[in-house]
């Protein structure tokens, strides 16, 4: 605008070079910051969640992270070198989707399901019933289940189920998905799966099962658990001005 006001003629390339090389600016996605998410009240919610987690671990609890994520039959951003005349799978024109719902701890993948249905509260309740049956009495006593704030996880019927089964459930802070280790598991899976081009959703399902039931994801759990813990510590370090007591 300043250049326009003074009728100065200069190329946008030159302006970009000045901004990048001289002023150390970068052309980045920019969004209006939600003040609520940086407020003392919101940060205190994060601390409260972490205090529950730490207390649970001190009492010998095992954190179990449960969530769901959707996988598409193809990645629209997939890129590969190919001839312009080369045919591409015609079925890729229509996206198909499958949902993975999974329960993991830092030691193991406890239970998972793949479904083409939407994961609503009824389906989630069914999953939790099956998940609960997979737990030993010792696991049931020690497990502290971490869920996000999806309404499908927090209906009256589900709270009744949690209470009847004596489940210790902790709900994560809204918009702090980095506190949920399973989100990092999903990210690792998608990074691996979307490196390839798939003909249909069945290929995706097959690959998901191979990575979950094989050594790939199980071998990452310890590393991903440490990554989650580091995010907890960074949150505390970056917001040290809040009194935890």
């Amino acid at each position: 605008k300043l250049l326009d006001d003074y009728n100065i003629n200069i190329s946008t390339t030159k302006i970009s070079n000045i901004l990048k090389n001289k002023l150390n600016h970068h052309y980045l996605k920019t969004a209006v910051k939600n003040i609520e998410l940086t407020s003392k009240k919101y940060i205190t919610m994060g601390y409260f969640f972490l205090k529950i987690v730490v207390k649970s671990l001190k009492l010998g609890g095992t954190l179990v992270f449960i969530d769901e994520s959707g996988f598409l039959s193809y990645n629209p951003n997939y890129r590969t070198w190919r001839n312009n005349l080369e045919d591409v799978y015609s079925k890729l024109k229509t996206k198909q989707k499958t949902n993975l719902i999974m329960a993991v701890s830092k030691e193991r993948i406890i239970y998972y399901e793949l479904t083409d249905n939407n994961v609503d509260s009824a389906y989630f309740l069914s999953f939790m019933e099956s998940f609960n049956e997979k737990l030993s009495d010792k696991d049931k006593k020690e497990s502290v289940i971490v869920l996000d704030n999806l309404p499908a996880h927090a209906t009256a019927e589900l709270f009744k189920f949690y209470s009847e089964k004596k489940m210790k459930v902790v709900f994560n802070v809204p918009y702090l998905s980095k506190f949920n280790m399973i989100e990092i598991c999903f990210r690792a899976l998608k990074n691996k799966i979307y490196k390839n081009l798939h003909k249909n959703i069945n290929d995706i399902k097959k690959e998901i099962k191979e990575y979950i039931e094989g050594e790939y994801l199980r071998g990452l759990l310890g590393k991903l658990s440490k990554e989650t813990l580091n995010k907890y510590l960074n949150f505390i370090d970056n917001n040290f001005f809040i009194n935890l007591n």
Side-chain angles (χ1 to χ4, degrees):
K1 187 179 185 304
L2 181 66
L3 296 175
D4 289 339
D5 290 344
Y6 285 87
N7 295 318
I8 298 174
N9 187 17
I10 185 172
S11 70
T12 55
T13 301
K14 191 165 187 178
I15 293 173
S16 296
N17 288 335
I18 293 171
L19 288 169
K20 289 180 181 178
N21 302 325
K22 301 296 184 182
L23 300 178
N24 196 31
H25 279 58
H26 298 278
Y27 194 71
L28 302 171
K29 288 183 179 179
T30 305
V32 177
K33 183 177 288 187
N34 188 333
I35 301 300
E36 176 65 22
L37 302 187
T38 60
S39 66
K40 182 174 180 179
K41 176 183 175 182
Y42 186 78
I43 293 168
T44 303
M45 288 170 62
Y47 274 128
F48 182 68
F49 171 83
L50 293 181
K51 287 181 75 172
I52 293 174
V53 168
V54 171
K55 185 71 172 179
S56 301
L57 293 175
K58 281 183 178 180
L59 296 174
T62 299
L63 295 180
V64 177
F65 300 89
I66 299 177
D67 203 2
E68 59 276 340
S69 185
F71 288 75
L72 297 175
S73 54
Y74 73 96
N75 179 4
N77 297 316
Y78 183 81
R79 297 288 185 272
T80 183
W81 289 105
R82 62 184 179 85
N83 188 291
N84 288 337
L85 301 177
E86 185 180 349
D87 190 24
V88 181
Y89 302 132
S90 59
K91 289 185 179 180
L92 297 187
K93 294 178 182 178
T94 303
K95 286 183 184 178
Q96 297 171 301
K97 182 181 179 182
T98 188
N99 291 307
L100 170 64
I101 179 167
M102 189 163 59
V104 302
S105 69
K106 69 176 183 178
E107 289 90 11
R108 63 193 177 102
I109 299 164
I110 301 171
Y111 183 62
Y112 80 95
E113 289 181 8
L114 279 168
T115 177
D116 296 337
N117 299 319
N118 291 327
V119 182
D120 56 14
S121 59
Y123 189 94
F124 188 73
L125 175 58
S126 173
F127 175 87
M128 292 301 290
E129 289 171 342
S130 299
F131 158 75
N132 189 60
E133 291 174 1
K134 296 287 182 182
L135 299 177
S136 66
D137 290 340
K138 183 174 182 292
D139 288 335
K140 290 176 182 178
K141 184 178 180 180
E142 295 179 353
S143 294
V144 178
I145 299 166
V146 179
L147 299 173
D148 65 15
N149 289 270
L150 191 71
H153 299 166
T155 63
E157 192 174 6
L158 275 160
F159 276 117
K160 180 181 178 183
F161 175 78
Y162 302 148
S163 177
E164 288 175 351
K165 302 300 180 182
K166 298 181 180 178
M167 287 184 170
K168 296 181 283 293
V169 177
V170 182
F171 287 91
N172 194 7
V173 183
Y175 306 109
L176 271 180
S177 58
K178 63 183 180 180
F179 279 5
N180 195 339
M181 174 183 151
I182 201 167
E183 296 289 352
I184 312 176
C185 291
F186 289 143
R187 183 189 68 195
L189 271 175
K190 289 183 177 182
N191 286 343
K192 195 77 172 174
I193 286 170
Y194 286 142
K195 284 182 179 179
N196 302 316
L197 191 63
H198 302 85
K199 290 184 179 180
N200 52 51
I201 200 65
N202 290 328
D203 284 356
I204 291 279
K205 291 178 183 178
K206 180 180 177 183
E207 201 164 336
I208 290 173
K209 289 180 180 179
E210 288 174 354
Y211 287 134
I212 291 178
E213 296 174 4
E215 292 299 320
Y216 172 70
L217 190 57
R218 281 186 292 180
L220 282 179
L221 291 178
K223 176 184 175 182
L224 299 183
S225 177
K226 288 180 181 179
E227 185 177 337
T228 306
L229 179 59
N230 281 331
K231 292 182 186 298
Y232 294 170
L233 296 176
N234 288 336
F235 179 85
I236 294 171
D237 185 47
N238 293 334
N239 301 287
F240 65 92
F241 55 87
I242 299 290
N243 186 353
L244 280 175
N245 297 316

